[in-house]
């Protein structure tokens, strides 16, 4: 397992433990605005990077907005949530599409959102990185 993948898995496991232990509080950072970056989708044994764009509205622990491959092709997000744990800020949301649901779990790291996306019911994961494009 690569160091990066191992680090992401450990981060996700530790986040789950903190949430289960009730160590959450209201988020202090504001992620409202436009974000752009990449998603590395597994394809034929390789990861193919594609563009990813999001618009978020963040209020307390609630996160709403949209996400998609470009600013003109967006799907609304559901079940959006932002939490601060002792391990950092965690953003989770789902992007339901026609016949699929993609689940995202992102962590804030010095103003950049990094994490993973997974298709519900499917193996594999896609690394995601988003940077603010407008605030």
């Amino acid at each position: 397992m690569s160091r990066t993948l191992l680090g992401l898995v450990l981060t996700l496991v530790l986040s789950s433990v903190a949430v289960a232990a009730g160590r959450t509080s209201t988020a202090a950072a504001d992620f409202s605005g436009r974000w752009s970056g990449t998603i590395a989708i597994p394809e034929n044994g390789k990861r193919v990077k594609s563009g990813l764009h999001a618009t978020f509205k963040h209020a307390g622990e609630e996160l709403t907005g949209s996400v998609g491959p470009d600013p003109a092709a967006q799907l609304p997000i559901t079940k959006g949530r932002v939490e601060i744990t002792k391990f950092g800020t965690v953003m989770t949301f789902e992007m339901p599409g026609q016949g699929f649901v993609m689940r995202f779990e992102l962590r804030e790291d010095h103003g950049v959102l990094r994490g993973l996306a997974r298709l519900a019911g499917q193996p594999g994961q896609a690394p995601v990185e988003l940077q603010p494009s407008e605030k």
Side-chain angles (χ1 to χ4, degrees):
M1 196 179 277
S2 75
R3 290 178 90 190
T4 303
L5 182 56
L6 180 60
L8 288 172
V9 169
L10 285 173
T11 299
L12 292 173
V13 169
L14 291 174
S15 296
S16 298
V17 170
V19 170
R23 296 184 193 124
T24 61
S25 65
T26 303
D30 184 5
F31 297 106
S32 297
R34 295 178 189 262
W35 295 74
S36 61
T38 59
I39 183 168
I41 300 170
E43 189 175 299
N44 298 324
K46 297 180 182 180
R47 295 197 185 273
V48 178
K49 281 192 176 182
S50 297
L52 188 66
H53 298 266
T55 301
F56 296 128
K57 183 172 182 191
H58 175 199
E61 291 184 351
E62 184 179 353
L63 182 72
T64 58
S66 61
V67 66
D70 65 56
Q74 298 279 296
L75 291 172
I77 64 172
T78 61
K79 300 181 183 179
R81 186 166 174 84
V82 178
E83 296 180 86
I84 294 180
T85 71
K86 72 179 193 176
F87 303 107
T89 302
V90 180
M91 174 188 289
T92 58
F93 59 91
E94 292 183 355
M95 179 185 74
Q98 192 169 1
F100 72 91
V101 174
M102 184 172 279
R103 294 187 173 112
F104 290 78
E105 183 166 324
L106 307 176
R107 298 187 146 282
E108 189 273 333
D109 180 24
H110 297 92
V112 176
L113 297 172
R114 292 185 177 94
L116 299 171
R118 294 180 181 87
L119 279 175
Q122 298 292 317
Q125 54 197 12
V128 173
E129 183 172 304
L130 293 171
Q131 298 183 8
S133 53
E134 289 180 29
K135 279 282 188 172

